[in-house]
Amino acid sequence: MKQVLLTGDRPSGKLHLGHYVGSLLSRVTMQDQYDSYIMVADVQALTDNFENPGLVQKNIYEVASDYLAVGIDPNLATIYIQSQIPEITELTIYFMNLVSLSRLERNPTVKAELTQKGMTESIPVGFLCYPINQAADIAVFLGEIIPAGEDQQPMIEQTNEIVRRFNRIYDVELLKECQAHIGLNGRLPGIDGKNKASKSLGNAIFLSDDTESIRNKVKDMYTDPNHLKVSDKGQVEGNVVFTYLDAFHNDKDELVELKEHYKRGGLGDVPLKALLFNDLEALISPIRDKRATLSHKFIKEVLLDGTSRARTKAQETMRQVRAAMGLNHFT
Ligand code: TRP
C-alpha cells in the first residue's frame, strides 16, 4: 500500500509561481510514488469569500486547469472538489470537540491572515475554524505527506494534535499523523518584495500569465533601491530578482558570479531582469500551451471522476470513525 499524499488550494484565484515552487512541483515529481489526493478547497475558500461565491465557483476550473497544465496526471492523482465530499464536513464537526478556542486563536497563519484581511474586529467563526476543517481534509483520506508552502506548517501541527487526541480518546489507531513537505524554496516573495507572493495582493506571477505580463512584472520587480547607477555596489539580500533567480535559474555557478559582480558594482538591473525573464518564460510557456489545450468538458470529467473516487475513500474512513465514536446505530 502506497502512503497517501494529500494537498490542495483555495480556488480564490489562479495559481502562481509561489504555488509552483512551494508545492506544485513536488506533487508532480512525487505523484507516482504516492497515492495522491489533490483537492480544490472551495469550502475553505468560502471562509473568507462567503460573500463572493461566484469568484470561488469560477476559480475551481482555473485551479484545476493549473493542476493539469503543470503536469499533475489525473490517472495518477485524484483531483476533486472539497465541497462535494460531505464526509469532510461531518468529520470537521466531530473534530471541533477536540480543539479549544484559545488554540485556534494562537494559530500564527490564521492570525496573519486575519490582520491581512482586516478581520481582527469581528472574526467569523467559520474562518477561525478552517484549520479544523483542514485537519478533517487530511485525516479523512489518511494523508501522511502534505506538499505545501511554509505557511501551512501550523496547520499540519494542529492536524496532528487533533489526530492524536482522536486516536487516544476513542482508543483506535485509525487516523494518521502527517508531515509537511515544504518545497525547496519554501517561500517566494511577491514582485513588490514586501510580502509573500499572493493572489489577493496582486504581486504574483501567474502560471497562466502571457509573455507581456511576465515581461512587465519582471520589469517592475523590486531590486535594491540604493542601486541607482550601474557602477554602484548592489545588495543581493532582499533583492527580489536574485530571490527569483535562486529559485528558477538553473546555472548556479553563473548565479554565484552574477551576485559577486552585482555586489562589487558594474552590473545593472536590466541584464539581470532579462535573464530572469528568459528563465520564467521558458518555464511558463509550456504550461500556458498545455493549459490552452484543456477543454471545460475535459476538466469537468477529471473533477467528476476524481470526486467520485475521493468520496469512496472518505466514506470508508468515516465508517470507521463512526464506529469508534459509537455512532454506527443502524449497522
Ligand atoms: N490551506 C491551503 C491554502 O491556503 C489549502 C488547503 C485546504 C490544504 N486543505 C488542505 C492544503 C489540506 C494542504 C492540505 O491554500
Side-chain angles (χ1 to χ4, degrees):
M1 277 272 276
K2 286 182 179 172
Q3 275 185 307
V4 173
L5 174 153
L6 182 141
T7 186
D9 300 274
R10 295 181 195 174
S12 51
K14 297 176 177 183
L15 301 184
H16 52 67
L17 289 175
H19 297 109
Y20 186 80
V21 294
S23 158
L24 291 171
L25 189 58
S26 346
R27 300 179 200 181
V28 175
T29 54
M30 303 199 293
Q31 64 186 341
D32 44 10
Q33 248 165 290
Y34 295 97
D35 190 10
S36 296
Y37 286 84
I38 317 276
M39 110 186 62
V40 186
D42 58 341
V43 175
Q44 191 176 113
L46 282 168
T47 62
D48 66 324
N49 290 288
F50 54 89
E51 289 173 308
N52 208 352
L55 172 106
V56 174
Q57 189 182 17
K58 177 179 99 202
N59 281 302
I60 289 176
Y61 276 76
E62 298 291 355
V63 168
S65 313
D66 285 325
Y67 288 168
L68 298 169
V70 298
I72 295 176
D73 178 350
N75 297 311
L76 294 172
T78 301
I79 303 175
Y80 58 101
I81 305 179
Q82 186 190 21
S83 62
Q84 304 308 300
I85 315 285
E87 289 74 17
I88 299 174
T89 316
E90 183 186 352
L91 188 58
T92 302
I93 296 283
Y94 304 150
F95 276 180
M96 282 185 172
N97 298 325
L98 309 180
V99 186
S100 72
L101 183 58
S102 63
R103 177 65 182 90
L104 286 173
E105 287 168 340
R106 266 202 322 272
N107 185 310
T109 302
V110 173
K111 264 194 192 157
E113 282 174 295
L114 287 171
T115 310
Q116 191 207 315
K117 295 173 207 285
M119 297 200 290
T120 43
E121 282 301 300
S122 159
I123 306 173
V125 172
F127 189 80
L128 194 65
C129 291
Y130 93 70
I132 307 181
N133 184 233
Q134 185 160 334
D137 287 340
I138 299 172
V140 88
F141 294 101
L142 308 178
E144 291 187 84
I145 309 290
I146 318 295
E150 212 174 46
D151 60 341
Q152 297 301 299
Q153 191 68 52
M155 305 298 157
I156 307 297
E157 281 163 26
Q158 200 156 7
T159 300
N160 286 339
E161 286 170 32
I162 294 172
V163 159
R164 281 194 292 268
R165 270 202 99 186
F166 183 96
N167 286 346
R168 184 165 49 76
I169 292 173
Y170 301 108
D171 198 17
V172 282
E173 281 175 35
L174 171 61
L175 304 182
K176 298 244 200 277
E177 287 191 44
C178 59
Q179 71 188 69
H181 188 284
I182 310 288
L184 280 184
N185 295 288
R187 177 191 170 105
L188 195 71
I191 59 170
D192 56 5
K194 284 194 214 103
N195 299 289
K196 70 164 191 168
S198 150
K199 34 199 174 206
S200 50
L201 294 172
N203 63 359
I205 298 177
F206 293 94
L207 298 170
S208 46
D209 272 349
D210 61 27
T211 309
E212 273 324 289
S213 309
I214 299 175
R215 201 191 302 279
N216 289 330
K217 287 179 185 178
V218 171
K219 216 193 278 166
D220 289 345
M221 229 174 224
Y222 181 87
T223 56
D224 171 3
N226 299 317
H227 186 249
L228 299 173
K229 293 198 301 287
V230 172
S231 56
D232 287 344
K233 290 184 177 177
Q235 199 171 327
V236 166
E237 195 133 306
N239 184 321
V240 180
V241 174
F242 278 110
T243 313
Y244 274 62
L245 284 170
D246 278 334
F248 300 106
H249 192 63
N250 289 330
D251 187 340
K252 300 298 175 204
D253 294 338
E254 184 187 11
L255 192 50
V256 171
E257 276 172 36
L258 289 169
K259 285 180 183 174
E260 287 310 317
H261 193 174
Y262 196 78
K263 287 196 262 190
R264 265 199 319 271
L267 178 58
D269 288 346
V270 174
L272 280 176
K273 287 187 168 180
L275 191 67
L276 178 60
F277 166 75
N278 282 337
D279 288 337
L280 296 183
E281 177 63 9
L283 174 75
I284 293 176
S285 74
I287 297 175
R288 192 193 298 134
D289 293 348
K290 174 86 192 281
R291 209 172 194 279
T293 67
L294 302 165
S295 69
H296 192 274
K297 181 168 169 283
F298 175 70
I299 298 167
K300 186 172 182 177
E301 277 164 17
V302 166
L303 288 170
L304 194 64
D305 174 59
T307 301
S308 137
R309 277 189 279 150
R311 220 180 151 197
T312 305
K313 167 106 181 172
Q315 282 167 336
E316 195 181 305
T317 309
M318 285 314 287
R319 268 193 293 277
Q320 292 169 271
V321 163
R322 290 189 207 107
M325 296 179 71
L327 297 170
N328 50 346
H329 307 300
F330 302 122
T331 54

